[in-house]
Amino acid sequence: MLYEEKQIETIPVGPLGLIPLQSCDALGKKVDAWLADWRRERESEHKTTIAFAGYQKDSYIIGSRTPRFGSGEGKGEILESVRGKDLYIMVDVCNYSLTYSLNGMKNHMSPDDHYQDLKRVIAAAAGKARRINVIMPFLYESRQHKRTGRESLDCALALRELVDMGVENIITFDAHDPRVQNAIPLKGFETVQPIYQFIKHLLKHEKDLQIDSDHMMVISPDEGGMGRAVFFANVLGLDLGMFYKRRDYSRIVNGRNPIVAHEFLGSSVEGKDVVIIDDMISSGESMLDTAKELKRRKAKKVFICTTFGLFTNGLKKFDEYYENGYIDRVLTTNLVYQTPELLERPYYIDVDMSKYIALIIDNLNHDSSLSELLNPTGRINRLLAKYRAGER
């Protein structure tokens, strides 16, 4: 059954309101379009009742602004009433393309700036909304998720702060360490894996893959991402391999211990297509080293799949590795800001997540279970069956 044909079984928590902050404007508009189309076409005998008031609209986006004063201070504004609404606030804390004026100088917005703007918009709702939900694809400070010395626990503090402001549900994607939700055990926290979307887009662009353990393999670039890779490999019925990083703990370079070498654990990759799966590309150094090492071991094609493509050191190195044949495809989602240059690269595949986010919002607004959405095994198996049958 298509989701668009889903029968309504529960009334909405409240009239739906979508507030994509400026950092998430393009993605928010795509999500809004999906929601408007579904609800316009969906049939229900209850749509004319008071509980479904405002259910069908051309757009669910509620206008908001986060202007700055010349000193760099800011404020949040919501441009229409949110009383009684079920609000979904979307923010991309990694969107560095936005700027503001600070004493006449142009400043690029940092994750801290985006997080403060999120809190300002929540504060502007002033307790009038029925429920506040935050969709933060890249979880703010998720890389600072545990304490190893005398250091701050920024991610846990941020989650507690949002909950204290009245947020009921936090939806994120591929959290660096899902255990950070222990900081808010009594509130809704979902970390969503985009594995189905990766497989869907890879199969769409690669027409001659043989998806079995004799011809394909899943690789984790480090021990921290093994859980993600194990799930990916099990769903596809593939073998698994792992690299682990030997680091020089006597030095710190750019805030971390430099990698000395990548060691491989797993069966032979010779002649096989390999999928490297991870949560993010930051500088891309370890991912590229992994790809080069796999090609040295005579892997056939190398596909890199990561939820967040940050590319903090630019694309020059990726271009070089593609030209030299070390990588064949790079797949990242549109959950974080993508530069126009990235979208033009011949090896890049843009994995659109707007429909998936719209599905989550629609289910939450109806207080429906997310279990089927969060466990994509059935959808993946149907997709693979079609691919193998030549329905491409």
Side-chain angles (χ1 to χ4, degrees):
M1 182 182 69
L2 295 174
Y3 186 82
E4 291 83 337
E5 300 168 0
K6 178 182 175 181
Q7 296 299 308
I8 298 171
E9 297 175 354
T10 56
I11 65 172
V13 172
L16 178 60
L18 189 63
I19 304 182
L21 300 192
Q22 190 181 357
S23 60
C24 229
D25 184 60
L27 181 60
K29 287 177 179 175
K30 288 183 178 181
V31 171
D32 181 54
W34 283 111
L35 290 167
D37 285 347
W38 290 336
R39 296 192 170 197
R40 190 181 304 115
E41 296 167 6
R42 186 178 291 160
E43 291 302 321
S44 171
E45 60 188 282
H46 306 294
K47 283 193 298 190
T48 56
T49 65
I50 193 169
F52 281 77
Y55 190 76
Q56 292 182 331
K57 298 172 70 175
D58 292 332
S59 175
Y60 299 93
I61 291 178
I62 293 171
S64 67
R65 294 191 304 171
T66 50
R68 299 264 173 169
F69 299 102
S71 59
E73 298 167 286
K75 65 176 179 178
E77 292 181 83
I78 296 176
L79 305 179
E80 60 187 89
S81 173
V82 295
R83 187 177 293 277
K85 290 188 182 292
D86 187 25
L87 290 185
Y88 294 82
I89 306 174
M90 298 176 63
V91 60
D92 172 14
V93 298
C94 295
N95 191 338
Y96 59 88
S97 69
L98 302 180
T99 60
Y100 63 92
S101 178
L102 176 62
N103 289 91
M105 298 177 290
K106 187 165 80 169
N107 238 20
H108 285 266
M109 290 186 70
S110 71
D112 290 344
D113 292 318
H114 289 299
Y115 176 64
Q116 292 301 324
D117 279 352
L118 169 65
K119 291 197 297 179
R120 290 178 177 121
V121 169
I122 294 171
K128 303 300 188 296
R130 175 73 54 83
R131 187 173 69 174
I132 295 177
N133 312 273
V134 168
I135 297 177
M136 186 188 292
F138 186 96
L139 187 60
Y140 173 68
E141 288 290 358
S142 57
R143 298 173 78 176
Q144 184 51 32
H145 59 94
K146 63 181 178 180
R147 178 177 285 154
T148 55
R150 295 185 184 91
E151 52 187 38
S152 56
L153 284 169
D154 294 49
C155 189
L157 280 172
L159 292 176
R160 290 293 298 271
E161 195 170 16
L162 291 177
V163 164
D164 288 344
M165 293 185 75
V167 174
E168 286 293 326
N169 294 296
I170 297 171
I171 308 296
T172 189
F173 285 78
D174 215 346
H176 199 62
D177 187 344
R179 290 173 297 183
V180 75
Q181 67 187 288
N182 293 338
I184 51 168
L186 301 181
K187 295 294 180 180
F189 181 96
E190 300 292 350
T191 175
V192 185
Q193 295 286 345
I195 286 178
Y196 170 73
Q197 284 76 16
F198 280 140
I199 297 169
K200 180 180 176 181
H201 281 78
L202 181 60
L203 298 186
K204 181 180 176 182
H205 288 83
E206 293 289 328
K207 305 300 184 184
D208 57 350
L209 297 178
Q210 292 179 269
I211 305 170
D212 57 56
S213 56
D214 293 327
H215 299 92
M216 207 168 185
M217 197 167 174
V218 175
I219 303 293
S220 174
D222 54 41
E223 60 276 22
M226 273 301 287
R228 189 180 298 107
V230 166
F231 179 62
F232 200 106
N234 285 344
V235 168
L236 296 180
L238 306 179
D239 287 339
L240 179 67
M242 184 196 82
F243 281 86
Y244 69 92
K245 301 167 185 172
R246 282 202 290 118
R247 294 182 180 272
D248 181 358
Y249 287 98
S250 65
R251 296 187 299 137
I252 294 178
V253 178
N254 293 330
R256 60 182 182 174
N257 303 106
I259 298 166
V260 177
H262 289 82
E263 305 290 351
F264 182 68
L265 297 173
S267 58
S268 172
V269 299
E270 186 173 351
K272 295 181 180 179
D273 296 322
V274 293
V275 178
I276 308 173
I277 185 83
D278 207 0
D279 61 337
M280 74 177 75
I281 294 173
S282 184
S283 65
E285 176 189 332
S286 62
M287 195 67 76
L288 292 172
D289 287 346
T290 300
K292 188 174 184 179
E293 183 63 25
L294 287 167
K295 284 289 189 176
R296 191 182 70 80
R297 294 169 183 268
K298 300 181 180 178
K300 187 179 175 185
K301 285 186 176 182
V302 173
F303 307 114
I304 296 174
C305 295
T306 67
T307 308
F308 306 109
L310 305 181
F311 300 102
T312 56
N313 286 3
L315 299 171
K316 184 178 178 182
K317 199 78 171 174
F318 282 85
D319 294 342
E320 179 186 318
Y321 271 56
Y322 174 68
E323 288 163 9
N324 292 332
Y326 294 132
I327 59 175
D328 294 272
R329 294 283 192 180
V330 176
L331 293 83
T332 72
T333 70
N334 61 342
L335 294 171
V336 293
Y337 172 68
Q338 300 160 298
T339 63
E341 294 77 22
L342 174 64
L343 295 171
E344 292 170 359
R345 290 301 192 266
Y347 53 82
Y348 181 68
I349 297 175
D350 174 22
V351 179
D352 182 16
M353 297 296 295
S354 59
K355 185 176 183 180
Y356 199 16
I357 293 174
L359 289 169
I360 292 170
I361 291 174
D362 197 39
N363 274 271
L364 280 176
N365 182 236
H366 278 280
D367 251 355
S368 299
S369 172
L370 296 182
S371 299
E372 283 188 32
L373 289 176
L374 300 181
N375 185 3
T377 306
R379 283 176 291 152
I380 291 171
N381 288 335
R382 288 193 293 273
L383 185 66
L384 291 178
K386 285 184 178 180
Y387 186 81
R388 288 168 176 147
E391 299 177 29
R392 304 172 188 180

